């Protein structure tokens, strides 16, 4: 059950970082570990990236990076709109749930 909630949080992290600049899978995995998602598996991260791309929230571009092809993801205008709506709901939720 917890994993189900965390999968949602992970998608929000991805949208946020893709809004700040392009991200690729391994980089995003490291970032999520930094946030405490220590055992994020490729089986969680990559499907999330693909789903966000399939929904039109992320655009993908293949780039050669130090001899390696990587898929870089950036936020689309549709993704930006979604992130904006998520922010509103997140603030509402945090204001209630985190209130002391
Ligand atoms: Zn982050």
């Amino acid at each position: 059950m917890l994993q189900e909630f965390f999968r949602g949080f992970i998608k929000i992290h991805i949208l946020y970082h893709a809004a700040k600049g392009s991200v690729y899978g391994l980089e995003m995995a490291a970032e999520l570990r930094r946030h405490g998602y220590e055992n994020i598996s490729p089986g969680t991260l990559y499907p999330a990236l693909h789903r966000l791309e399939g929904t039109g929230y992320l655009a993908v571009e293949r780039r050669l990076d130090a001899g390696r092809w990587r898929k870089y993801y950036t936020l689309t205008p549709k993704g930006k709109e979604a992130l904006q709506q998520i922010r509103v709901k997140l603030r509402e939720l945090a204001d209630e749930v985190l209130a002391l």
Side-chain angles (χ1 to χ4, degrees), residues 26-43:
L26 272 181
E27 178 186 31
M28 204 55 232
E31 172 65 15
L32 288 166
R33 272 197 299 277
R34 194 177 72 77
H35 282 296
Y37 298 94
E38 267 142 44
N39 38 26
I40 170 115
S41 70

